[in-house]
Amino acid sequence: MQDLDENTVTDATLAQMGTTPDPRLKQIMEAAVRHMHAFAREVDLTPSEWLTAIGFLTEVGKACTDIRQEFILLSDVLGLSAVVNALHDKKAAELGTQSSLLGPFFREGAAELPLGASIIANPSVPEIVLYGQVTDNDGRPLPNALVQVWQTDEHGLYDVQAHDDAHMDMRGNFRTDASGHYHFRTVRPLGYSIPMDGPVGRLVAQQGRHGMRPSHIHILITAEGHRELVTALYFGDDDHIASDTVFGVSNSLVVQSKADPESPIPGLRAVRYDFKMPRAADNDTGRVGADPASFKPAAE
Ligand code: BEZ
Ligand code: FE
């Protein structure tokens, strides 16, 4: 027996967890316990505050569905997703196009569309063109790369917010041509608020934050032998370009649409963006985000 106080309980916990056979689980849980105990001591956490936090996390869990991942949203607004992304980028064999958040609105199984198609079923504003080339880090074209795109519409809504659950819109998958080029039509998405009707939105409001993301188009590119690229392009003239609620913007990902005589669809404003895919590395740890539907209870 030992008399434990708020300090010695940390070592007692670590000692008991010392039997963990999986070394990585052991390392992660030890650090988590040390930091969580230190956090409680630093703020002198009271029982009622801790119960409030547990109630909050319970609500976050209950808000998760096949089309909504409130825990990812929580990680996003706390800047943790951005930290994990930056660590992931640092482990790449070479640095290609910078990554950005996958966010909670990615869905597997969008339609594969021919190059030049529009990803918007009923555009109410003039379309724009997004085009460019997918290459390796040395500029060699990558034919047949899968380019998955998804975005909000001109009103700032994703399909799952604008339509019923099953209806896919404002998203599509394309294959680069023999010279690695891609192009498709879309509308300029409107910047939007993260979902504010759940516990995470309530927290953001309590913190006096605006909850807005600047206008952006999500891109996920896969090419054989290369590291999967999860990124997004951000429109530089958006009012919230410098204060993204989820810290996804990097300067190299900021774009502007313009009249462009070299665009494959002349007459429409265009954004040209070339993507560089780094080589796959042994230490690749997978995608930094997921389709909400892929989170199933461990027992299933
Ligand atoms: C998004 O870009 O879709 C997104 C990312 C993080 C939180 C909410 C939305
Ligand atoms: Fe988004």
Side-chain angles (χ1 to χ4, degrees):
M1 280 297 289
Q2 47 190 330
D3 283 326
L4 297 177
D5 63 21
E6 76 280 12
N7 292 307
T8 55
V9 72
T10 302
D11 280 344
T13 311
L14 296 178
Q16 200 173 113
M17 296 189 330
T19 51
T20 311
D22 179 335
R24 182 65 177 153
L25 177 64
K26 183 166 183 282
Q27 181 190 16
I28 288 173
M29 287 312 300
E30 282 178 359
V33 162
R34 268 191 278 105
H35 286 278
M36 282 189 293
H37 288 203
F39 147 76
R41 286 189 291 263
E42 181 184 320
V43 300
D44 194 9
L45 197 64
T46 68
S48 73
E49 286 165 343
W50 184 224
L51 284 179
T52 302
I54 287 174
F56 171 78
L57 291 172
T58 305
E59 264 190 87
V60 170
K62 286 184 176 169
C64 293
T65 69
D66 273 6
I67 55 165
R68 177 166 183 157
Q69 231 304 333
E70 196 79 357
F71 273 113
I72 292 188
L73 190 60
L74 179 59
S75 155
D76 293 342
V77 303
L78 297 180
L80 193 53
S81 303
V83 170
V84 174
N85 276 6
L87 291 169
H88 182 67
D89 278 1
K90 262 174 87 176
K91 286 188 212 101
E94 40 189 25
L95 196 61
T97 300
Q98 271 185 285
S99 70
S100 187
L101 299 179
L102 187 93
F105 295 107
F106 170 67
R107 292 166 76 186
E108 303 278 0
E112 191 157 328
L113 303 172
L115 290 175
S118 177
I119 62 167
I120 312 290
N122 293 304
S124 66
V125 293
E127 289 177 311
I128 61 170
V129 185
L130 189 63
Y131 78 102
Q133 194 180 24
V134 179
T135 69
D136 69 10
N137 244 24
D138 299 321
R140 279 186 294 261
L142 293 175
N144 205 37
L146 178 63
V147 181
Q148 303 189 60
V149 300
W150 68 105
Q151 63 169 79
T152 54
D153 60 16
E154 59 273 39
H155 311 292
L157 295 174
Y158 281 95
D159 51 5
V160 292
Q161 300 168 312
H163 308 298
D164 66 79
D165 295 355
H167 185 119
M168 288 215 194
D169 194 4
M170 288 89 77
R171 58 183 82 227
N173 299 346
F174 298 89
R175 291 270 173 191
T176 55
D177 67 14
S179 58
H181 285 94
Y182 72 93
H183 73 287
F184 63 91
R185 288 174 291 131
T186 183
V187 294
R188 192 202 134 115
L190 194 67
Y192 61 90
S193 167
I194 61 159
M196 295 294 278
D197 58 345
V200 174
R202 204 175 63 229
L203 175 66
V204 166
Q206 278 172 345
Q207 293 173 326
R209 296 162 69 181
H210 55 57
M212 295 296 291
R213 294 219 69 201
S215 166
H216 60 277
I217 300 177
H218 292 274
I219 318 263
L220 194 166
I221 306 182
T222 24
E224 218 180 306
H226 294 80
R227 182 178 238 225
E228 183 179 69
L229 174 66
V230 177
T231 193
L233 300 179
Y234 294 88
F235 287 84
D237 54 0
D238 189 291
D239 286 349
H240 299 105
I241 192 73
S243 61
D244 182 7
T245 309
V246 296
F247 313 99
V249 182
S250 303
N251 287 334
S252 67
L253 300 175
V254 174
V255 297
Q256 218 68 267
S257 74
K258 56 177 192 195
D260 178 355
E262 286 171 19
S263 160
I265 308 185
L268 299 182
R269 291 178 75 79
V271 172
R272 177 179 178 139
Y273 201 93
D274 297 334
F275 295 95
K276 276 198 182 336
M277 305 285 289
R279 266 180 300 125
D282 295 345
N283 59 2
D284 275 351
T285 47
R287 186 176 297 173
V288 278
D291 181 333
S294 66
F295 291 91
K296 297 285 181 213
E300 270 185 32

